[in-house]
Amino acid sequence: MSHRRRPTSSLTRMVTTLALAAASTLLAAGSSTAAEPAAVAAATGPEAAVTDHLHERGQQRAGALASGDRPVVKVTREAGAWAHGTAVLATEPGSDRMPEGWLFIAHRDGGSWQVAFDGEPRFAELSARSTLTRAAEKPLFAEQDGRQVSAAGRPGVTTGITPLAGSDFRTGMALPWANGQTWTMTSGPHGWGGSEAPWSSMDFAGGDQTVRATRGGTAYTMCTGWIRVIHDRGYSTDYYHLWSSVNVNGAAVGAGAYLGYTGTDVTCGGAASGRHVHFGLRQNSAYVGLAGHGLGKWSMENGGSAYQGSALHGSARVVAPGNLYNYGALGLNQGVIDANGGGSVNKRTGPGTGYGLSGSVADGATVTVSCSSNGTSHTGRYGTSSLWNRLSDGTWVSDAYMWTGVNGTINGYC
């Protein structure tokens, strides 16, 4: 739904050609490696240094900027030797390629500007020193240096679940609309720009059309219609194609905060057919596979190809396209009961079937885990486990019948 090619007018092509020519003039300077901040003479200002760094990113992506691509740099804060802002490699509107974007921090050191994008090793270090980094941003930026993505350094090289920090897939996120509403999952997991890996993105439409932050954090306008929210635990989320979106520069937002309305905006490139929000999940400044992650108490699942897939809540599976009810965020010490076929799961007075029954809990119910212990083995949807979880009411349930986002304890051992 997000990536169908649309015809481009002659006027658009002319404007794009002029923009690309201007960008090429700016990008004629040499470049440094992406692992280190780019340096450009201080007299030229931070924009030129950031633009040069964007050129490097374009070369890494495709060997050179593709026809119609253009750098869009916005300095949103500047004082003394520091500058902050956004850097976007925009594509041609109507293109089947999506834009890419980063937050940047630039520091004037001696006679040149040093630039680091989020996801680069220097970003966290510069953000800690910058006089422009706000108190709410410091702990979030500290996790945006790319250290916790897959060991190969190329997160999402397969369409399966990307190995993340500790294989912990808890997000603490709701779906990107109001709790208690039902929207349509118009497409299952796919790449931010289409079919490519990782399958980090999904399309949603319907409801009251109001797009909201899945979790609290700090929000940034990457370009018109594109909002990024930086969350804790290294996560961030992208929301594109929005109409009447907020204009923010590091504003603190709470879970459920208004970001904009579903739309078809392609100011930074790409295509949209029918109003929706193109939602993307990132961790440590890289798009990561949605499969295995939880949104609104649904576990997202890949399909046989991009745009297929499904979502699972307890034993209830919804295949794309299908309707999803937003149950709200699953707490980091909570789980969803999965009876692996519906019905209910027995609760026990201790960690095993040798202990007495103490009622039952329904498939799809949310439970809070106090601690865990080993007991009798059982086999559920995700395999066999001897782990048992003690619930907040003092009863016990086998971990084999609970989805938490972690293959192991979520609140320590008893």
Side-chain angles (χ1 to χ4, degrees):
M1 187 169 184
S2 298
H3 314 293
R4 296 179 183 172
R5 184 180 293 276
R6 300 188 307 179
T8 305
S9 69
S10 58
L11 177 60
T12 298
R13 284 194 295 271
M14 181 176 68
V15 172
T16 299
T17 301
L18 292 173
L20 183 61
S24 298
T25 302
L26 284 171
L27 300 174
S31 61
S32 61
T33 64
E36 296 297 331
V40 169
T44 63
E47 293 91 344
V50 176
T51 301
D52 190 52
H53 208 41
L54 267 177
H55 188 219
E56 298 165 17
R57 283 302 182 101
Q59 289 177 323
Q60 292 166 5
R61 180 181 64 181
L65 290 182
S67 176
D69 284 4
R70 63 196 188 282
V72 179
V73 175
K74 291 195 301 182
V75 177
T76 55
R77 304 174 218 168
E78 185 175 4
W82 294 96
H84 288 206
T86 57
V88 173
L89 277 175
T91 63
E92 193 172 10
S95 167
D96 57 1
R97 295 178 302 106
M98 291 285 279
E100 296 183 52
W102 299 267
L103 305 182
F104 76 80
I105 296 176
H107 181 229
R108 190 174 64 244
D109 185 8
S112 63
W113 284 96
Q114 307 294 317
V115 177
F117 288 175
D118 63 279
E120 297 175 344
R122 287 289 305 277
F123 184 80
E125 183 264 325
L126 286 179
S127 70
R129 293 197 292 118
S130 173
T131 59
L132 300 180
T133 308
R134 296 165 182 161
E137 293 174 317
K138 285 184 180 291
L140 304 181
F141 284 0
E143 298 178 300
Q144 297 295 322
D145 61 0
R147 288 178 298 177
Q148 298 182 58
V149 295
S150 62
R154 299 253 339 256
V157 294
T158 70
T159 56
I161 295 175
T162 306
L164 303 179
S167 296
D168 185 343
F169 295 92
R170 294 174 294 175
T171 66
M173 296 180 190
L175 284 158
W177 58 85
N179 293 350
Q181 283 193 12
T182 298
W183 284 33
T184 301
M185 170 179 59
T186 57
S187 65
H190 56 278
W192 173 250
S195 299
E196 84 286 353
W199 292 351
S200 61
S201 307
M202 299 176 77
D203 296 325
F204 301 109
D208 64 0
Q209 309 286 358
T210 303
V211 178
R212 300 183 179 277
T214 60
R215 185 169 172 85
T218 56
Y220 305 83
T221 299
M222 304 303 292
C223 67
T224 301
W226 182 7
I227 303 297
R228 175 169 295 167
V229 180
I230 308 294
H231 309 283
D232 57 2
R233 305 178 68 247
Y235 282 110
S236 57
T237 48
D238 279 3
Y239 313 77
Y240 192 37
H241 302 319
L242 303 183
W243 285 339
S244 301
S245 57
V246 294
N247 186 11
V248 283
N249 169 28
V253 295
Y258 169 86
L259 299 179
Y261 295 109
T262 58
T264 56
D265 188 278
V266 290
T267 301
C268 276
S273 120
R275 62 184 297 183
H276 66 284
V277 58
H278 181 59
F279 173 84
L281 181 68
R282 296 163 61 88
Q283 190 174 25
N284 309 111
S285 300
Y287 290 107
V288 294
L290 269 168
H293 288 91
L295 297 173
K297 299 183 182 179
W298 294 86
S299 174
M300 302 305 165
E301 302 178 312
N302 288 335
S305 62
Y307 298 96
Q308 296 181 0
S310 56
L312 191 67
H313 175 77
S315 295
R317 175 176 279 110
V318 174
V319 178
N323 295 329
L324 298 183
Y325 179 86
N326 190 2
Y327 294 97
L330 185 69
L332 301 183
N333 65 339
Q334 291 183 320
V336 176
I337 295 298
D338 181 352
N340 197 16
S344 62
V345 171
N346 288 331
K347 298 194 292 183
R348 299 278 177 174
T349 58
T353 52
Y355 292 86
L357 286 171
S358 185
S360 63
V361 57
D363 181 79
T366 300
V367 294
T368 300
V369 176
S370 299
C371 56
S372 302
S373 183
N374 288 317
T376 54
S377 293
H378 298 274
T379 301
R381 188 182 306 279
Y382 303 103
T384 300
S385 175
S386 61
L387 191 69
W388 283 69
N389 298 318
R390 184 181 181 183
L391 308 185
S392 55
D393 65 0
T395 63
W396 295 77
V397 171
S398 169
D399 190 65
Y401 302 112
M402 187 184 301
W403 182 84
T404 62
V406 177
N407 184 22
T409 64
I410 60 170
N411 207 11
Y413 283 96
C414 297

